[in-house]
Amino acid sequence: MDRLSTAANGLTSAQVVGAKPNHVPRRSSRSLSAIVRANVFTLFNLVIGVLWALVLIFGEWQDSLFGLVIVANVLIGIIQELRAKRTLDKLAVINEAPVRVRRDGGERLVQPRQVVLGDLILLGPGDRLLVDGEVIESDGLEVDESLLTGEADPVHKQPGDEVLSGSFAVAGAGAFVATRVGTDAYAVKLAEEASKFHLAHSELREGVANFIKYITWLVIPIGALLIYSQLKHSADFGTAITGAVAGIVTMIPEGLVLMTSIAFAVGVVRLGRRKCLVQELPAIEGLARVDVLCLDKTGTLTAGGMDLDQVLPLRDGHPVEDALAALAHLDHSPNATAQAIRARYQNARDGWTAGETVPFSSARKWSGAHFGERGAWMLGAPDVLLDSGDAYDRAAELATTGARVLVLGRARALPAPQAAEERTKPDRAPIEAVALVTLKQRVRPDAQETLRYFAKQGVAVKVISGDNPTAVSAIATGLEIPDAHRSIDARDLPYDDEAKLGELLDSHTVFGRVSPRQKRQFVTALQARGHTVAMTGDGVNDVLALKDADLGIAMGAGSPATKAVAQVVLLDDKFATLPHVVGEGRRVLANIERVSNLFLTKTFYAIVLSLLVGVAGVMFPFAPRHSTLTNALTIGVPALFLALAPTFERSKPGFVPRVLRFAVPAGVLCAAAVLLSFWAAHSGTSTLVEDQTSAVITLFLTTWWVLVLIARPLNWWRIALVASMAAAFAIGLTIPFVRHFFALEPGDLSNDLTAVGISIVAAVMISVAVKVAGTLRT
């Protein structure tokens, strides 16, 4: 008894001081050491570092400029990821819902990391369980453990039962003593076993990783062939080494991973400025692929909270207001409906003491209590509690105005909550309808404009709600959502036929009386039809659907459980932020695809050039300093601008095939043009430096044309970008110091004009080849 009494009162302040705290690593970002390791210790850094050392030993220092790429990549990568980490961690702290605990006999709010072993934690609907524990108080407490066990039905918890972190309360109230905290908690152990730093699936990251993997395997044999060829056919050992290094370095897309990381990191920071927390970086990619947006009406289209409008008695002589006040004040953690009623009836009436109670849940859509001699009273959805009749018809008529309508009724006894299945009315004695209650919902002022944006962008909107379909339809129609007048009652939808369900979801927009389990089925059915689905929500009934959606978006004022499973959280609850969220995702993916085309064109022309040079046994046509110059002007500097540019293109699957269809033909033709220019110049009486200059002119002009093709559609700033790169190269050829530094001698007019002519022909061929390849499908 003493132990139970101590547990019921919670820990004392003195006991908290020495107790084990709930310290859990944040999942939103990597640690500083992990960021440094990931950016410093890479295979490409190792390869470039070795080549850099070889050039410094056997060549001229000007040819070692490419080594600065390592320093730049490392510094920029670390700085950008740390910047994103600071943003994520700062927003994650804002996003953390405080935990209600009882200490020193009183209730207080503490941060999740301030919970300690032995704390008495209080639960209400929507509360997420952060630690494991043992229940000591239960007032109809129901816990959803589906995220841990896969079992969708809530579990009734009684004193003495175990509760696990990762689950969440869906109905009732209760309290439990924390028995395992921090890394000892069940959910944290599961996460650690799965991954130290989990990232959602990303086609973009996966594609870039595959490019890197395959290119690495190609670099080894081709690099060895090139080194052998240059050493065998060159009289000067230093020239042979620098020639081989020039080919190998150019094969490595050293900036591709950097640009991908920068784009993701900048996306996180930009969204962070709009109070949007991206809990997993690849979620930004998901933003770009979304073509169906499922909206939960309450809290998304409508602002949080409601106002009690009318209380319409259906029979005289019943204590309607007393009963409403009593029911609204039963729950220790009132939902929006109870809060609206409490605002008018601020205190429960004397003599209304509840015995048996059934708390509200999204699946049941009603709550009730037995008040002794005053009888059993129930409050809930009319189409769930009532059979057809005058009261039912009047409730349906009121719902057409968009109001939320509830019925207050009396019954001989409360039905058992276990009998309240989703597709049937509760197993009960007939309910006597006593009054209808209407609540006004506050439509968000920015909802209509936001919905108009999605319509323009080709994103289909599905309004999914647990409310009456007629009421949902009325609100959706007022927001001018297409086909909103054709609503469907989800209780009439097929449960076992996913194909039929998918067809109905594609052809209709508004769905009412949707259960939490059905929301999850909706997401699965839409995904089965090839859609990329985003789901928004703020209530505990949205958790399962948010978890299964390709992109879960939670409102900042939503339940802790909802925010925990979502990949994106709108911390300021602004629905109008969603267009910026989707736009940021599209910007990242479209621009990374452009940048990938640039880097991999370079990689493929270097591979082809190295193979041809190695097999033919001729000198490599340019030195490392030449590739440093051309790569900086046609890839490095432009890529930085293109990776961060605004765009509204919706990303499509097939990132890797599309990049290959561009980069392979473009790279092959660039390599052929460069080698042809070098061969044409080398067969004359010009010097080696003049021959290499002709090859460099061809290399710049062909890769510059690739940049022009990738930068399309050309607007004023893109035209300025490509023009400035051409001007910089031309100026470099005319300034003696620059020419000397980069070993350029455009002195043989015949060779240089030949190089320009070959470049023009190659540019035309690249344009045709890329266009033809783009029409192919793999």
Side-chain angles (χ1 to χ4, degrees), residues 44-45 48 69-70 72-73 76 208 212 249 251-263 592 595-596 598-600 602-603 635-636 639-640 643:
F44 281 178
N45 282 355
I48 293 176
V69 171
I70 297 178
N73 280 2
I76 294 173
V208 171
I212 300 301
V249 167
M251 279 189 276
I252 299 173
E254 68 281 343
L256 181 55
V257 175
L258 172 67
M259 290 299 168
T260 304
S261 299
I262 288 176
I592 288 302
V595 169
S596 298
L598 274 179
F599 279 102
L600 292 174
K602 179 193 76 148
T603 292
I635 298 173
L640 191 58

PDB file of all heavy atoms in Angstrom, residues 44-45 48 69-70 72-73 76 208 212 249 251-263 592 595-596 598-600 602-603 635-636 639-640 643:
ATOM      1  N   PHE A  44      36.234   8.844 -52.583  1.00  0.00           N
ATOM      2  CA  PHE A  44      36.694   9.818 -53.555  1.00  0.00           C
ATOM      3  C   PHE A  44      37.748  10.751 -52.972  1.00  0.00           C
ATOM      4  O   PHE A  44      38.706  11.117 -53.653  1.00  0.00           O
ATOM      5  CB  PHE A  44      35.504  10.643 -54.064  1.00  0.00           C
ATOM      6  CG  PHE A  44      34.702   9.913 -55.105  1.00  0.00           C
ATOM      7  CD1 PHE A  44      33.568  10.491 -55.640  1.00  0.00           C
ATOM      8  CD2 PHE A  44      35.082   8.659 -55.549  1.00  0.00           C
ATOM      9  CE1 PHE A  44      32.824   9.821 -56.599  1.00  0.00           C
ATOM     10  CE2 PHE A  44      34.345   7.978 -56.500  1.00  0.00           C
ATOM     11  CZ  PHE A  44      33.206   8.552 -57.031  1.00  0.00           C
ATOM     12  N   ASN A  45      37.587  11.132 -51.726  1.00  0.00           N
ATOM     13  CA  ASN A  45      38.602  11.967 -51.096  1.00  0.00           C
ATOM     14  C   ASN A  45      39.944  11.238 -51.022  1.00  0.00           C
ATOM     15  O   ASN A  45      41.008  11.840 -51.203  1.00  0.00           O
ATOM     16  CB  ASN A  45      38.156  12.377 -49.697  1.00  0.00           C
ATOM     17  CG  ASN A  45      37.144  13.505 -49.715  1.00  0.00           C
ATOM     18  OD1 ASN A  45      36.835  14.061 -50.764  1.00  0.00           O
ATOM     19  ND2 ASN A  45      36.611  13.841 -48.544  1.00  0.00           N
ATOM     20  N   ILE A  48      41.383  11.133 -54.712  1.00  0.00           N
ATOM     21  CA  ILE A  48      41.871  12.448 -55.134  1.00  0.00           C
ATOM     22  C   ILE A  48      43.087  12.859 -54.310  1.00  0.00           C
ATOM     23  O   ILE A  48      44.041  13.470 -54.822  1.00  0.00           O
ATOM     24  CB  ILE A  48      40.747  13.496 -55.011  1.00  0.00           C
ATOM     25  CG1 ILE A  48      39.642  13.189 -56.020  1.00  0.00           C
ATOM     26  CG2 ILE A  48      41.286  14.898 -55.247  1.00  0.00           C
ATOM     27  CD1 ILE A  48      38.446  14.098 -55.919  1.00  0.00           C
ATOM     28  N   VAL A  69      39.653  20.775 -54.406  1.00  0.00           N
ATOM     29  CA  VAL A  69      38.264  20.300 -54.405  1.00  0.00           C
ATOM     30  C   VAL A  69      37.967  19.527 -53.121  1.00  0.00           C
ATOM     31  O   VAL A  69      36.865  19.615 -52.571  1.00  0.00           O
ATOM     32  CB  VAL A  69      38.002  19.410 -55.641  1.00  0.00           C
ATOM     33  CG1 VAL A  69      36.638  18.729 -55.543  1.00  0.00           C
ATOM     34  CG2 VAL A  69      38.082  20.241 -56.904  1.00  0.00           C
ATOM     35  N   ILE A  70      38.952  18.772 -52.642  1.00  0.00           N
ATOM     36  CA  ILE A  70      38.756  18.014 -51.395  1.00  0.00           C
ATOM     37  C   ILE A  70      38.436  18.970 -50.256  1.00  0.00           C
ATOM     38  O   ILE A  70      37.456  18.790 -49.511  1.00  0.00           O
ATOM     39  CB  ILE A  70      40.013  17.192 -51.038  1.00  0.00           C
ATOM     40  CG1 ILE A  70      40.300  16.155 -52.112  1.00  0.00           C
ATOM     41  CG2 ILE A  70      39.824  16.521 -49.681  1.00  0.00           C
ATOM     42  CD1 ILE A  70      41.549  15.343 -51.834  1.00  0.00           C
ATOM     43  N   ALA A  72      37.399  22.093 -50.398  1.00  0.00           N
ATOM     44  CA  ALA A  72      36.119  22.785 -50.617  1.00  0.00           C
ATOM     45  C   ALA A  72      34.939  21.869 -50.322  1.00  0.00           C
ATOM     46  O   ALA A  72      33.983  22.261 -49.642  1.00  0.00           O
ATOM     47  CB  ALA A  72      36.052  23.297 -52.052  1.00  0.00           C
ATOM     48  N   ASN A  73      34.990  20.642 -50.835  1.00  0.00           N
ATOM     49  CA  ASN A  73      33.898  19.697 -50.607  1.00  0.00           C
ATOM     50  C   ASN A  73      33.680  19.433 -49.123  1.00  0.00           C
ATOM     51  O   ASN A  73      32.551  19.420 -48.632  1.00  0.00           O
ATOM     52  CB  ASN A  73      34.177  18.372 -51.328  1.00  0.00           C
ATOM     53  CG  ASN A  73      33.857  18.435 -52.805  1.00  0.00           C
ATOM     54  OD1 ASN A  73      33.457  19.478 -53.311  1.00  0.00           O
ATOM     55  ND2 ASN A  73      34.051  17.333 -53.490  1.00  0.00           N
ATOM     56  N   ILE A  76      32.465  22.836 -47.281  1.00  0.00           N
ATOM     57  CA  ILE A  76      31.098  23.213 -47.656  1.00  0.00           C
ATOM     58  C   ILE A  76      30.106  22.169 -47.167  1.00  0.00           C
ATOM     59  O   ILE A  76      29.042  22.499 -46.638  1.00  0.00           O
ATOM     60  CB  ILE A  76      30.985  23.401 -49.189  1.00  0.00           C
ATOM     61  CG1 ILE A  76      31.831  24.588 -49.635  1.00  0.00           C
ATOM     62  CG2 ILE A  76      29.533  23.628 -49.598  1.00  0.00           C
ATOM     63  CD1 ILE A  76      31.932  24.751 -51.135  1.00  0.00           C
ATOM     64  N   VAL A 208      22.209   8.358 -56.848  1.00  0.00           N
ATOM     65  CA  VAL A 208      23.547   8.938 -56.762  1.00  0.00           C
ATOM     66  C   VAL A 208      24.535   7.915 -56.202  1.00  0.00           C
ATOM     67  O   VAL A 208      25.664   7.787 -56.688  1.00  0.00           O
ATOM     68  CB  VAL A 208      23.521  10.210 -55.888  1.00  0.00           C
ATOM     69  CG1 VAL A 208      24.942  10.694 -55.600  1.00  0.00           C
ATOM     70  CG2 VAL A 208      22.719  11.311 -56.572  1.00  0.00           C
ATOM     71  N   ILE A 212      27.924   6.442 -58.020  1.00  0.00           N
ATOM     72  CA  ILE A 212      29.234   6.470 -57.367  1.00  0.00           C
ATOM     73  C   ILE A 212      29.849   5.064 -57.333  1.00  0.00           C
ATOM     74  O   ILE A 212      31.034   4.871 -57.619  1.00  0.00           O
ATOM     75  CB  ILE A 212      29.116   7.021 -55.931  1.00  0.00           C
ATOM     76  CG1 ILE A 212      28.550   8.440 -55.938  1.00  0.00           C
ATOM     77  CG2 ILE A 212      30.458   6.977 -55.228  1.00  0.00           C
ATOM     78  CD1 ILE A 212      29.342   9.439 -56.705  1.00  0.00           C
ATOM     79  N   VAL A 249      41.105  12.008 -62.530  1.00  0.00           N
ATOM     80  CA  VAL A 249      40.393  13.021 -61.746  1.00  0.00           C
ATOM     81  C   VAL A 249      39.101  13.434 -62.441  1.00  0.00           C
ATOM     82  O   VAL A 249      38.061  13.607 -61.806  1.00  0.00           O
ATOM     83  CB  VAL A 249      41.299  14.250 -61.508  1.00  0.00           C
ATOM     84  CG1 VAL A 249      40.488  15.424 -60.979  1.00  0.00           C
ATOM     85  CG2 VAL A 249      42.403  13.907 -60.532  1.00  0.00           C
ATOM     86  N   MET A 251      37.264  11.695 -64.310  1.00  0.00           N
ATOM     87  CA  MET A 251      36.259  10.618 -64.235  1.00  0.00           C
ATOM     88  C   MET A 251      35.451  10.678 -62.937  1.00  0.00           C
ATOM     89  O   MET A 251      34.342  10.160 -62.872  1.00  0.00           O
ATOM     90  CB  MET A 251      36.947   9.241 -64.330  1.00  0.00           C
ATOM     91  CG  MET A 251      37.289   8.801 -65.731  1.00  0.00           C
ATOM     92  SD  MET A 251      37.856   7.080 -65.765  1.00  0.00           S
ATOM     93  CE  MET A 251      39.571   7.273 -65.369  1.00  0.00           C
ATOM     94  N   ILE A 252      35.978  11.302 -61.928  1.00  0.00           N
ATOM     95  CA  ILE A 252      35.343  11.282 -60.609  1.00  0.00           C
ATOM     96  C   ILE A 252      34.358  12.447 -60.487  1.00  0.00           C
ATOM     97  O   ILE A 252      34.756  13.610 -60.577  1.00  0.00           O
ATOM     98  CB  ILE A 252      36.411  11.377 -59.497  1.00  0.00           C
ATOM     99  CG1 ILE A 252      37.369  10.183 -59.581  1.00  0.00           C
ATOM    100  CG2 ILE A 252      35.743  11.447 -58.128  1.00  0.00           C
ATOM    101  CD1 ILE A 252      38.544  10.268 -58.631  1.00  0.00           C
ATOM    102  N   PRO A 253      33.071  12.161 -60.274  1.00  0.00           N
ATOM    103  CA  PRO A 253      32.087  13.245 -60.087  1.00  0.00           C
ATOM    104  C   PRO A 253      32.124  13.760 -58.657  1.00  0.00           C
ATOM    105  O   PRO A 253      31.171  13.624 -57.882  1.00  0.00           O
ATOM    106  CB  PRO A 253      30.752  12.555 -60.416  1.00  0.00           C
ATOM    107  CG  PRO A 253      30.962  11.141 -59.998  1.00  0.00           C
ATOM    108  CD  PRO A 253      32.423  10.834 -60.242  1.00  0.00           C
ATOM    109  N   GLU A 254      33.267  14.380 -58.299  1.00  0.00           N
ATOM    110  CA  GLU A 254      33.517  14.705 -56.901  1.00  0.00           C
ATOM    111  C   GLU A 254      32.503  15.679 -56.313  1.00  0.00           C
ATOM    112  O   GLU A 254      32.277  15.699 -55.100  1.00  0.00           O
ATOM    113  CB  GLU A 254      34.936  15.266 -56.728  1.00  0.00           C
ATOM    114  CG  GLU A 254      35.190  16.629 -57.363  1.00  0.00           C
ATOM    115  CD  GLU A 254      35.419  16.569 -58.867  1.00  0.00           C
ATOM    116  OE1 GLU A 254      35.696  15.455 -59.370  1.00  0.00           O
ATOM    117  OE2 GLU A 254      35.309  17.602 -59.540  1.00  0.00           O
ATOM    118  N   GLY A 255      31.885  16.501 -57.143  1.00  0.00           N
ATOM    119  CA  GLY A 255      30.949  17.488 -56.609  1.00  0.00           C
ATOM    120  C   GLY A 255      29.511  17.021 -56.556  1.00  0.00           C
ATOM    121  O   GLY A 255      28.651  17.721 -56.000  1.00  0.00           O
ATOM    122  N   LEU A 256      29.211  15.842 -57.116  1.00  0.00           N
ATOM    123  CA  LEU A 256      27.816  15.399 -57.200  1.00  0.00           C
ATOM    124  C   LEU A 256      27.225  15.148 -55.814  1.00  0.00           C
ATOM    125  O   LEU A 256      26.119  15.607 -55.503  1.00  0.00           O
ATOM    126  CB  LEU A 256      27.722  14.135 -58.058  1.00  0.00           C
ATOM    127  CG  LEU A 256      26.322  13.566 -58.270  1.00  0.00           C
ATOM    128  CD1 LEU A 256      25.382  14.626 -58.845  1.00  0.00           C
ATOM    129  CD2 LEU A 256      26.370  12.352 -59.190  1.00  0.00           C
ATOM    130  N   VAL A 257      27.946  14.418 -54.981  1.00  0.00           N
ATOM    131  CA  VAL A 257      27.462  14.150 -53.625  1.00  0.00           C
ATOM    132  C   VAL A 257      27.363  15.455 -52.848  1.00  0.00           C
ATOM    133  O   VAL A 257      26.410  15.682 -52.093  1.00  0.00           O
ATOM    134  CB  VAL A 257      28.392  13.156 -52.903  1.00  0.00           C
ATOM    135  CG1 VAL A 257      27.946  12.973 -51.464  1.00  0.00           C
ATOM    136  CG2 VAL A 257      28.404  11.821 -53.628  1.00  0.00           C
ATOM    137  N   LEU A 258      28.336  16.335 -53.044  1.00  0.00           N
ATOM    138  CA  LEU A 258      28.320  17.626 -52.355  1.00  0.00           C
ATOM    139  C   LEU A 258      27.079  18.428 -52.736  1.00  0.00           C
ATOM    140  O   LEU A 258      26.378  18.953 -51.870  1.00  0.00           O
ATOM    141  CB  LEU A 258      29.580  18.412 -52.702  1.00  0.00           C
ATOM    142  CG  LEU A 258      29.615  19.859 -52.194  1.00  0.00           C
ATOM    143  CD1 LEU A 258      29.689  19.886 -50.681  1.00  0.00           C
ATOM    144  CD2 LEU A 258      30.785  20.613 -52.814  1.00  0.00           C
ATOM    145  N   MET A 259      26.794  18.531 -54.037  1.00  0.00           N
ATOM    146  CA  MET A 259      25.646  19.314 -54.479  1.00  0.00           C
ATOM    147  C   MET A 259      24.333  18.711 -53.986  1.00  0.00           C
ATOM    148  O   MET A 259      23.388  19.430 -53.656  1.00  0.00           O
ATOM    149  CB  MET A 259      25.635  19.422 -56.009  1.00  0.00           C
ATOM    150  CG  MET A 259      26.741  20.289 -56.561  1.00  0.00           C
ATOM    151  SD  MET A 259      26.624  22.000 -55.948  1.00  0.00           S
ATOM    152  CE  MET A 259      28.210  22.631 -56.461  1.00  0.00           C
ATOM    153  N   THR A 260      24.271  17.388 -53.933  1.00  0.00           N
ATOM    154  CA  THR A 260      23.071  16.727 -53.417  1.00  0.00           C
ATOM    155  C   THR A 260      22.872  17.076 -51.942  1.00  0.00           C
ATOM    156  O   THR A 260      21.765  17.426 -51.514  1.00  0.00           O
ATOM    157  CB  THR A 260      23.186  15.199 -53.577  1.00  0.00           C
ATOM    158  OG1 THR A 260      23.419  14.891 -54.953  1.00  0.00           O
ATOM    159  CG2 THR A 260      21.915  14.506 -53.127  1.00  0.00           C
ATOM    160  N   SER A 261      23.956  17.005 -51.176  1.00  0.00           N
ATOM    161  CA  SER A 261      23.875  17.326 -49.753  1.00  0.00           C
ATOM    162  C   SER A 261      23.500  18.792 -49.542  1.00  0.00           C
ATOM    163  O   SER A 261      22.689  19.120 -48.673  1.00  0.00           O
ATOM    164  CB  SER A 261      25.211  17.030 -49.071  1.00  0.00           C
ATOM    165  OG  SER A 261      25.540  15.658 -49.178  1.00  0.00           O
ATOM    166  N   ILE A 262      24.093  19.674 -50.353  1.00  0.00           N
ATOM    167  CA  ILE A 262      23.790  21.108 -50.218  1.00  0.00           C
ATOM    168  C   ILE A 262      22.320  21.367 -50.513  1.00  0.00           C
ATOM    169  O   ILE A 262      21.642  22.112 -49.789  1.00  0.00           O
ATOM    170  CB  ILE A 262      24.680  21.935 -51.165  1.00  0.00           C
ATOM    171  CG1 ILE A 262      26.119  21.959 -50.641  1.00  0.00           C
ATOM    172  CG2 ILE A 262      24.152  23.361 -51.295  1.00  0.00           C
ATOM    173  CD1 ILE A 262      27.082  22.680 -51.553  1.00  0.00           C
ATOM    174  N   ALA A 263      21.804  20.753 -51.583  1.00  0.00           N
ATOM    175  CA  ALA A 263      20.406  20.978 -51.958  1.00  0.00           C
ATOM    176  C   ALA A 263      19.462  20.524 -50.857  1.00  0.00           C
ATOM    177  O   ALA A 263      18.502  21.222 -50.513  1.00  0.00           O
ATOM    178  CB  ALA A 263      20.097  20.255 -53.266  1.00  0.00           C
ATOM    179  N   ILE A 592      18.738  18.822 -58.685  1.00  0.00           N
ATOM    180  CA  ILE A 592      19.751  17.779 -58.537  1.00  0.00           C
ATOM    181  C   ILE A 592      19.839  16.943 -59.810  1.00  0.00           C
ATOM    182  O   ILE A 592      20.927  16.489 -60.195  1.00  0.00           O
ATOM    183  CB  ILE A 592      19.431  16.885 -57.319  1.00  0.00           C
ATOM    184  CG1 ILE A 592      19.698  17.663 -56.025  1.00  0.00           C
ATOM    185  CG2 ILE A 592      20.271  15.611 -57.332  1.00  0.00           C
ATOM    186  CD1 ILE A 592      21.115  18.181 -55.894  1.00  0.00           C
ATOM    187  N   VAL A 595      21.982  18.974 -62.110  1.00  0.00           N
ATOM    188  CA  VAL A 595      23.379  18.921 -61.681  1.00  0.00           C
ATOM    189  C   VAL A 595      23.982  17.546 -61.978  1.00  0.00           C
ATOM    190  O   VAL A 595      25.145  17.441 -62.393  1.00  0.00           O
ATOM    191  CB  VAL A 595      23.465  19.261 -60.179  1.00  0.00           C
ATOM    192  CG1 VAL A 595      24.851  18.954 -59.633  1.00  0.00           C
ATOM    193  CG2 VAL A 595      23.126  20.725 -59.947  1.00  0.00           C
ATOM    194  N   SER A 596      23.203  16.505 -61.795  1.00  0.00           N
ATOM    195  CA  SER A 596      23.680  15.153 -62.093  1.00  0.00           C
ATOM    196  C   SER A 596      24.015  15.017 -63.575  1.00  0.00           C
ATOM    197  O   SER A 596      25.010  14.367 -63.946  1.00  0.00           O
ATOM    198  CB  SER A 596      22.626  14.113 -61.696  1.00  0.00           C
ATOM    199  OG  SER A 596      22.379  14.156 -60.305  1.00  0.00           O
ATOM    200  N   LEU A 598      25.131  17.341 -65.476  1.00  0.00           N
ATOM    201  CA  LEU A 598      26.415  18.021 -65.680  1.00  0.00           C
ATOM    202  C   LEU A 598      27.590  17.144 -65.248  1.00  0.00           C
ATOM    203  O   LEU A 598      28.530  16.905 -66.008  1.00  0.00           O
ATOM    204  CB  LEU A 598      26.440  19.322 -64.872  1.00  0.00           C
ATOM    205  CG  LEU A 598      25.850  20.594 -65.486  1.00  0.00           C
ATOM    206  CD1 LEU A 598      25.954  21.741 -64.505  1.00  0.00           C
ATOM    207  CD2 LEU A 598      26.549  20.949 -66.785  1.00  0.00           C
ATOM    208  N   PHE A 599      27.548  16.675 -64.014  1.00  0.00           N
ATOM    209  CA  PHE A 599      28.674  15.926 -63.466  1.00  0.00           C
ATOM    210  C   PHE A 599      28.888  14.600 -64.195  1.00  0.00           C
ATOM    211  O   PHE A 599      30.025  14.187 -64.418  1.00  0.00           O
ATOM    212  CB  PHE A 599      28.460  15.674 -61.969  1.00  0.00           C
ATOM    213  CG  PHE A 599      28.818  16.845 -61.115  1.00  0.00           C
ATOM    214  CD1 PHE A 599      27.842  17.685 -60.593  1.00  0.00           C
ATOM    215  CD2 PHE A 599      30.137  17.131 -60.818  1.00  0.00           C
ATOM    216  CE1 PHE A 599      28.161  18.774 -59.815  1.00  0.00           C
ATOM    217  CE2 PHE A 599      30.486  18.224 -60.027  1.00  0.00           C
ATOM    218  CZ  PHE A 599      29.490  19.050 -59.524  1.00  0.00           C
ATOM    219  N   LEU A 600      27.804  13.927 -64.548  1.00  0.00           N
ATOM    220  CA  LEU A 600      27.973  12.613 -65.173  1.00  0.00           C
ATOM    221  C   LEU A 600      28.326  12.720 -66.650  1.00  0.00           C
ATOM    222  O   LEU A 600      28.932  11.801 -67.205  1.00  0.00           O
ATOM    223  CB  LEU A 600      26.709  11.784 -64.967  1.00  0.00           C
ATOM    224  CG  LEU A 600      26.514  11.403 -63.491  1.00  0.00           C
ATOM    225  CD1 LEU A 600      25.185  10.715 -63.274  1.00  0.00           C
ATOM    226  CD2 LEU A 600      27.639  10.492 -63.011  1.00  0.00           C
ATOM    227  N   LYS A 602      30.533  14.879 -67.590  1.00  0.00           N
ATOM    228  CA  LYS A 602      31.982  14.968 -67.394  1.00  0.00           C
ATOM    229  C   LYS A 602      32.589  13.588 -67.138  1.00  0.00           C
ATOM    230  O   LYS A 602      33.621  13.221 -67.710  1.00  0.00           O
ATOM    231  CB  LYS A 602      32.287  15.894 -66.219  1.00  0.00           C
ATOM    232  CG  LYS A 602      33.783  16.035 -65.930  1.00  0.00           C
ATOM    233  CD  LYS A 602      34.038  16.696 -64.595  1.00  0.00           C
ATOM    234  CE  LYS A 602      33.788  15.700 -63.487  1.00  0.00           C
ATOM    235  NZ  LYS A 602      34.647  15.907 -62.306  1.00  0.00           N
ATOM    236  N   THR A 603      31.920  12.817 -66.298  1.00  0.00           N
ATOM    237  CA  THR A 603      32.437  11.487 -65.969  1.00  0.00           C
ATOM    238  C   THR A 603      32.503  10.597 -67.207  1.00  0.00           C
ATOM    239  O   THR A 603      33.501   9.907 -67.447  1.00  0.00           O
ATOM    240  CB  THR A 603      31.542  10.838 -64.900  1.00  0.00           C
ATOM    241  OG1 THR A 603      31.684  11.559 -63.679  1.00  0.00           O
ATOM    242  CG2 THR A 603      31.929   9.386 -64.666  1.00  0.00           C
ATOM    243  N   ILE A 635      30.903  23.356 -64.984  1.00  0.00           N
ATOM    244  CA  ILE A 635      30.236  22.442 -64.045  1.00  0.00           C
ATOM    245  C   ILE A 635      30.180  23.033 -62.642  1.00  0.00           C
ATOM    246  O   ILE A 635      29.097  23.260 -62.090  1.00  0.00           O
ATOM    247  CB  ILE A 635      30.950  21.069 -64.008  1.00  0.00           C
ATOM    248  CG1 ILE A 635      30.903  20.413 -65.384  1.00  0.00           C
ATOM    249  CG2 ILE A 635      30.291  20.151 -62.972  1.00  0.00           C
ATOM    250  CD1 ILE A 635      31.705  19.148 -65.497  1.00  0.00           C
ATOM    251  N   GLY A 636      31.331  23.303 -62.045  1.00  0.00           N
ATOM    252  CA  GLY A 636      31.380  23.666 -60.631  1.00  0.00           C
ATOM    253  C   GLY A 636      30.580  24.897 -60.273  1.00  0.00           C
ATOM    254  O   GLY A 636      29.651  24.846 -59.457  1.00  0.00           O
ATOM    255  N   ALA A 639      26.810  24.671 -61.420  1.00  0.00           N
ATOM    256  CA  ALA A 639      26.073  23.684 -60.623  1.00  0.00           C
ATOM    257  C   ALA A 639      25.610  24.276 -59.303  1.00  0.00           C
ATOM    258  O   ALA A 639      24.512  23.977 -58.823  1.00  0.00           O
ATOM    259  CB  ALA A 639      26.930  22.452 -60.368  1.00  0.00           C
ATOM    260  N   LEU A 640      26.433  25.139 -58.715  1.00  0.00           N
ATOM    261  CA  LEU A 640      26.066  25.747 -57.434  1.00  0.00           C
ATOM    262  C   LEU A 640      24.819  26.617 -57.598  1.00  0.00           C
ATOM    263  O   LEU A 640      23.919  26.590 -56.752  1.00  0.00           O
ATOM    264  CB  LEU A 640      27.232  26.579 -56.907  1.00  0.00           C
ATOM    265  CG  LEU A 640      27.118  27.077 -55.465  1.00  0.00           C
ATOM    266  CD1 LEU A 640      26.953  25.915 -54.506  1.00  0.00           C
ATOM    267  CD2 LEU A 640      28.351  27.902 -55.102  1.00  0.00           C
ATOM    268  N   ALA A 643      21.696  24.266 -58.599  1.00  0.00           N
ATOM    269  CA  ALA A 643      21.213  23.412 -57.506  1.00  0.00           C
ATOM    270  C   ALA A 643      20.283  24.151 -56.563  1.00  0.00           C
ATOM    271  O   ALA A 643      19.471  23.520 -55.863  1.00  0.00           O
ATOM    272  CB  ALA A 643      22.397  22.845 -56.717  1.00  0.00           C
TER     273      ALA A 643
END
